[in-house]
Amino acid sequence: MTTTVNAMAATSATEPLTKTTIERRDVGPHDVAFDIKFAGICHSDIHTVKGEWGEPEYPVVAGHEIAGVVTEVGSDVTKYKVGDHVGVGCFVDSCRECDNCKAGLQQYCTGEGGMIGTYNATGKDGTPTYGGYSQAIVVDENYVLRIPDSIPLDKAAPLLCAGITLFSPLHHWGAGPDKKVAIIGLGGLGHMGVKIAHAMGAEVTVLSQSLKKMEDGLRLGADEYYATSDEDTFTKLAGKFDLIVNTVSANLDLAAYMGLLATDGTLVEVGAPEKPMELPFFPLAAQRRSLSGSMIGGIPETQEMLDFCAEHDITPEIEVIAADYVNEAYERVLASDVRYRFVIDTSTLQ
Ligand code: NAP
Ligand code: ZN
Ligand code: ZN
């Protein structure tokens, strides 16, 4: 027995997303079922749907920034009860046995197959996983997050990917007072990076393609804002930053950005461009700089991020949309015309 729910699905790389129905499994002893209220649109949804990271398994029901209200819990569930506000991010399970899983770094699970993605993956029951562009979902309680009461569900959704993807590297590389941090790209991820790094006490600079969004950037917590289309930016800021987080979805001239790092500085790549990244030797080695990457965050750190955001009153800037606006929203994300996260009101899937 399963439950049928409405969803928005992609059936190919080129056709628009359309309304469909999917099945959700019955609630097992360790499962939490919840009504999805809101689902954020991450640029990763678009990369996946368009086959930019390889051919996905169609139909794809994307969405890994999911927030909702618990409707049923399994007999052995201890963490959640009906009515709780909960969320799910980029994965819904993992091996639970490898060192990383045991350490709460489920996103880096080294067990067979690694973490199980919220969509475009195969669940432990052998059925395809479908994401948040849908009315309801059933997830093991260990992969569900608690949304603090002070964060409304529409604004909570983007924290489950955009929020944690920036919180984790900022935390890991010690963003804080006396640290100069730059965020490349003021989109969904980038604007969360500005807010979180500012709340951690760092001096924050935005590196955007133009100065169009400068007023927003400064309001969100940036101390400085520069256009990367201006060559002078790279001379002015040479050797300045302890930490740079690159959130750009396209390939950039990494060598130019490495030059902005101080001695021993680190550039963390979180943007996931389609083509391989290129970096010559000297801008990297000259100042003992590091190039690193980071992927979302584990369950404990995601909960820590949600609680941090509640404590510091941090929420994303969102534009709530109806489900049938998804295709237009995708076009606007691709045109960098998003301020700063589209969130689907899933009640419009009725
Ligand atoms: P987004 O909202 O589209 O933001 C990306 C921003 O990058 C844009 O707003 C734009 O900012 C800048 N940009 C876009 N195209 C550019 C270009 N050709 N040249 C220079 N700058 C450009 O996307 P997002 O949802 O934040 O996601 C960003 C990337 O992170 C995607 O590749 C996504 O797949 C990846 N991602 C990775 C993780 C992870 O765990 N590592 C998690 C989530 C997403 P400006 O207008 O300010 O220049
Ligand atoms: Zn994402
Ligand atoms: Zn594992």
Side-chain angles (χ1 to χ4, degrees):
M1 266 277 291
T2 55
T3 307
T4 306
V5 302
N6 295 339
M8 285 296 284
T11 51
S12 83
T14 48
E15 269 147 309
L17 276 64
T18 49
K19 212 162 154 185
T20 185
T21 59
I22 53 169
E23 299 302 311
R24 294 300 190 187
R25 69 170 181 258
D26 265 358
V27 175
H30 300 284
D31 282 338
V32 171
F34 66 96
D35 274 348
I36 298 174
K37 299 295 182 190
F38 296 96
I41 295 180
C42 178
H43 205 120
S44 302
D45 300 347
I46 305 176
H47 289 302
T48 305
V49 160
K50 295 195 179 294
E52 290 170 1
W53 293 341
E55 177 83 1
E57 198 69 45
Y58 295 106
V60 176
V61 174
H64 55 212
E65 297 185 333
I66 309 174
V69 180
V70 175
T71 52
E72 191 182 343
V73 297
S75 52
D76 293 342
V77 168
T78 55
K79 294 182 185 155
Y80 299 101
K81 59 177 192 322
V82 171
D84 283 355
H85 285 191
V86 293
V88 163
C90 295
F91 53 90
V92 289
D93 216 327
S94 64
C95 88
R96 308 179 189 207
E97 281 162 11
C98 72
D99 289 347
N100 285 343
C101 280
K102 284 185 186 151
L105 296 168
Q106 296 88 349
Q107 78 276 32
Y108 303 128
C109 173
T110 54
E112 208 187 314
M115 65 166 183
I116 296 178
T118 302
Y119 60 82
N120 190 36
T122 304
K124 283 188 177 163
D125 62 356
T127 64
T129 59
Y130 294 121
Y133 301 2
S134 62
Q135 292 177 303
I137 193 167
V138 179
V139 178
D140 184 287
E141 67 169 331
N142 294 305
Y143 295 81
V144 173
L145 286 306
R146 180 175 300 283
I147 295 176
D149 288 339
S150 64
I151 306 180
L153 291 177
D154 53 353
K155 290 186 174 247
L159 298 177
L160 277 309
C161 176
I164 184 59
T165 299
L166 272 290
F167 181 88
S168 186
L170 289 168
H171 193 210
H172 183 77
W173 276 278
D178 303 326
K179 286 287 167 76
K180 293 187 172 66
V181 173
I183 305 286
I184 316 178
L186 194 68
L189 266 56
H191 94 290
M192 286 314 303
V194 171
K195 290 191 177 208
I196 293 169
H198 175 70
M200 288 174 170
E203 182 186 314
V204 186
T205 300
V206 174
L207 302 172
S208 181
Q209 294 168 91
S210 73
L211 295 180
K212 266 196 306 207
K213 296 179 274 189
M214 179 160 168
E215 213 173 292
D216 285 354
L218 298 177
R219 177 175 55 83
L220 301 179
D223 299 282
E224 296 188 31
Y225 201 105
Y226 289 90
T228 53
S229 51
D230 180 354
E231 293 269 311
D232 284 351
T233 293
F234 292 89
T235 331
K236 255 186 244 161
L237 302 180
K240 177 176 165 108
F241 300 106
D242 301 299
L243 178 63
I244 300 179
V245 184
N246 179 18
T247 75
V248 173
S249 45
N251 289 80
L252 292 183
D253 175 9
L254 273 189
Y257 289 89
M258 289 306 281
L260 306 185
L261 285 173
T263 304
D264 286 328
T266 303
L267 187 149
V268 183
E269 182 69 31
V270 295
E274 191 177 353
K275 299 195 194 80
M277 302 180 293
E278 272 183 29
L279 181 61
F281 176 74
F282 285 104
L284 179 69
Q287 296 296 323
R288 200 166 56 189
R289 293 167 174 136
S290 301
L291 172 64
S292 193
S294 182
M295 242 173 65
I296 43 176
I299 294 294
E301 196 176 26
T302 305
Q303 191 62 57
E304 189 183 338
M305 175 276 308
L306 287 165
D307 298 340
F308 176 92
C309 288
E311 189 189 325
H312 293 267
D313 204 13
I314 294 175
T315 53
E317 312 286 302
I318 58 170
E319 184 173 336
V320 176
I321 61 166
D324 59 12
Y325 188 75
V326 167
N327 295 297
E328 219 165 317
Y330 273 22
E331 291 309 314
R332 286 183 53 196
V333 171
L334 290 171
S336 299
D337 177 24
V338 49
R339 298 199 180 191
Y340 283 84
R341 201 56 143 186
F342 289 109
V343 174
I344 303 168
D345 174 351
T346 51
S347 69
T348 59
L349 281 167
Q350 280 298 339

